[in-house]
């Protein structure tokens, strides 16, 4: 059995407008082949989840794994 899946994370709930973003994800998944509908549901969503700046260049670290080579 093949079941298509769209997965979203906690970023929806930590966004500026979680209800609108969740609705947009559902509509975008439903209408993924309609660019006009995608543009429509992408408008007015507000800010997404803010990062915590704990990784990478913001923390002065490289984004590579330390494997002891």
């Amino acid at each position: 059995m093949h079941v298509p899946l769209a997965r979203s994370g906690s970023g929806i709930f930590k966004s500026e407008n979680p209800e609108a973003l969740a609705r947009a994800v559902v509509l975008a998944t439903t209408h993924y082949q309609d660019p006009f509908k995608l543009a429509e549901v992408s408008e007015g969503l507000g800010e997404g989840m803010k990062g915590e700046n704990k990784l990478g260049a913001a923390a002065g670290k490289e984004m590579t794994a330390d494997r002891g080579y």
Side-chain angles (χ1 to χ4, degrees):
M1 173 175 19
H2 175 73
V3 179
L5 172 69
R7 183 179 179 278
S8 60
S10 62
I12 287 178
F13 306 106
K14 295 179 180 181
S15 68
E16 185 178 307
N17 190 346
E19 184 178 341
L21 188 54
R23 183 177 291 114
V25 168
V26 171
L27 290 172
T29 302
T30 302
H31 303 286
Y32 70 95
Q33 293 182 322
D34 182 350
F36 297 105
K37 187 69 171 179
L38 292 176
E40 179 185 325
V41 302
S42 298
E43 292 180 358
L45 297 177
E47 291 289 321
M49 181 177 104
K50 300 284 185 201
E52 295 182 5
N53 293 327
K54 291 184 178 179
L55 298 174
K61 300 178 185 176
E62 290 185 33
M63 296 292 287
T64 58
D66 181 16
R67 294 192 172 93
Y69 297 118

